[in-house]
């Protein structure tokens, strides 16, 4: 998806449904009725047992080595965190919508 131009990722509307779902079910921040699809990218863990360059408070750099037990594979923890953040985000959006509808009365 990142390599495509915007013109190649337009979701085509036919009648009352979309023929494509490049936007993951969201158009302009609003659900368009299609299945909501979430894609997650996670950067690698940086606290590994290999010497690395780090910034100092004084504005320079130094070499640090993190010691102790470290698990560079964060994959098992990413899934529940991502699922729960999605649940919190959806619930927040739902509560906002409910509050807005309450003002209409």
């Amino acid at each position: 998806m990142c390599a495509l131009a915007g013109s190649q990722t337009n979701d085509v509307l036919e009648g009352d449904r979309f023929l494509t779902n490049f936007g993951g079910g969201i158009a302009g921040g609003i659900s368009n009725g299609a299945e909501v699809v979430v894609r997650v990218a996670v950067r690698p863990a940086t606290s590994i047992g290999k010497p690395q360059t780090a910034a100092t408070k004084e504005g320079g750099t130094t070499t640090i080595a993190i010691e102790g037990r470290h698990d560079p594979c964060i994959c098992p923890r990413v899934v529940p965190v991502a699922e729960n953040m999605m649940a919190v985000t959806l619930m927040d959006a739902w509560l906002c919508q409910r509050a807005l509808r309450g003002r209409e009365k």
Side-chain angles (χ1 to χ4, degrees):
M1 292 291 296
C2 294
L4 299 176
S7 60
Q8 296 173 295
T9 61
N10 287 328
D11 285 323
V12 178
L13 183 63
E14 182 180 88
D16 62 346
R17 68 182 192 95
F18 284 91
L19 299 179
T20 57
N21 192 16
F22 291 110
I26 306 295
I30 301 170
S31 170
N32 63 17
E35 179 178 341
V36 174
V37 178
V38 179
R39 294 171 187 90
V40 178
V42 180
R43 71 180 184 92
T46 57
S47 57
I48 58 174
K50 177 180 176 182
Q52 301 176 67
T53 302
T56 65
K57 290 180 183 178
E58 295 78 28
T61 59
T62 186
T63 301
I64 61 168
I66 301 191
E67 298 177 5
R69 184 181 177 276
H70 296 281
D71 184 2
C73 181
I74 61 172
C75 295
R77 292 181 292 284
V78 168
V79 173
V81 170
E83 287 176 344
N84 283 283
M85 282 308 303
M86 187 67 208
V88 168
T89 302
L90 289 173
M91 181 57 77
D92 181 59
W94 181 77
L95 289 170
C96 286
Q97 184 64 33
R98 192 172 93 173
L100 289 172
R101 284 190 178 155
R103 291 183 190 172
E104 295 172 359
K105 294 179 181 178

